[in-house]
Amino acid sequence: MIEYRIDRRSGVATYLQIVQQTKQALRLGLLEPGDKLPTAREVVAATAINPNTVLKAYRELEREGLAEGRRGLGTFVRGTLGRGSADSALRTELAAWTDRARASGLDKDDVTALFTSVVEDRFEERFEERSTHDTHGTRTTRTTRTERIKGDDA
């Protein structure tokens, strides 16, 4: 069962932290359809947050089709995200990279900033304008969307 951790200094709304952590667990395969989420009472006991905050997060997950409440039974995972796995080879590589980053003196915030920067760079959408001329010699500009992928040097 998932255990939520609330970071009160993050600036992210508490209910969104619950939604994000649930989505992360779904992406990693730690939660699967049919799994039961902790009750609001259990989350409140573990995190000392308002029960309405937990219910708001669960309603958001329901709205997104990722969970469903069953009266008298609790809230259950309904959908899934991603293709990742908690024990995938990529996770193992990333864990090793993180260990090397820590050994080189980087702290958690440094690692997060570096990782986020690389992810943003590698997945950034770019828009290119291309000039063309129609049959009448009129110059037109067309904007095309390209997506940068790993190994793209442009």
Side-chain angles (χ1 to χ4, degrees), residues 69-125:
R70 298 180 191 158
R71 192 167 187 86
L73 297 175
T75 304
F76 293 82
V77 174
R78 181 175 168 199
T80 188
L81 292 171
R83 298 176 302 244
S85 168
D87 59 355
S88 73
L90 288 174
R91 181 180 173 88
T92 302
E93 288 178 42
L94 185 56
W97 176 85
T98 303
D99 291 343
R100 287 193 313 273
R102 286 183 72 187
S104 71
L106 298 178
D107 67 15
K108 182 179 178 182
D109 291 336
D110 296 333
V111 169
T112 301
L114 180 58
F115 179 79
T116 301
S117 172
V118 171
V119 168
E120 291 298 320
D121 183 51
R122 292 298 191 191
F123 286 88
E124 120 185 323
E125 287 184 355

Side-chain angles (χ1 to χ4, degrees), residues 1-2 4 22 31 35-40 42-43 58 61 66-67 74-77:
M1 184 179 292
I2 188 170
Y4 297 109
T22 304
L31 284 175
D35 288 348
K36 185 178 182 196
L37 295 176
T39 65
E42 291 169 336
V43 177
Y58 285 5
L61 290 166
L66 298 174
T75 304
F76 293 82
V77 174

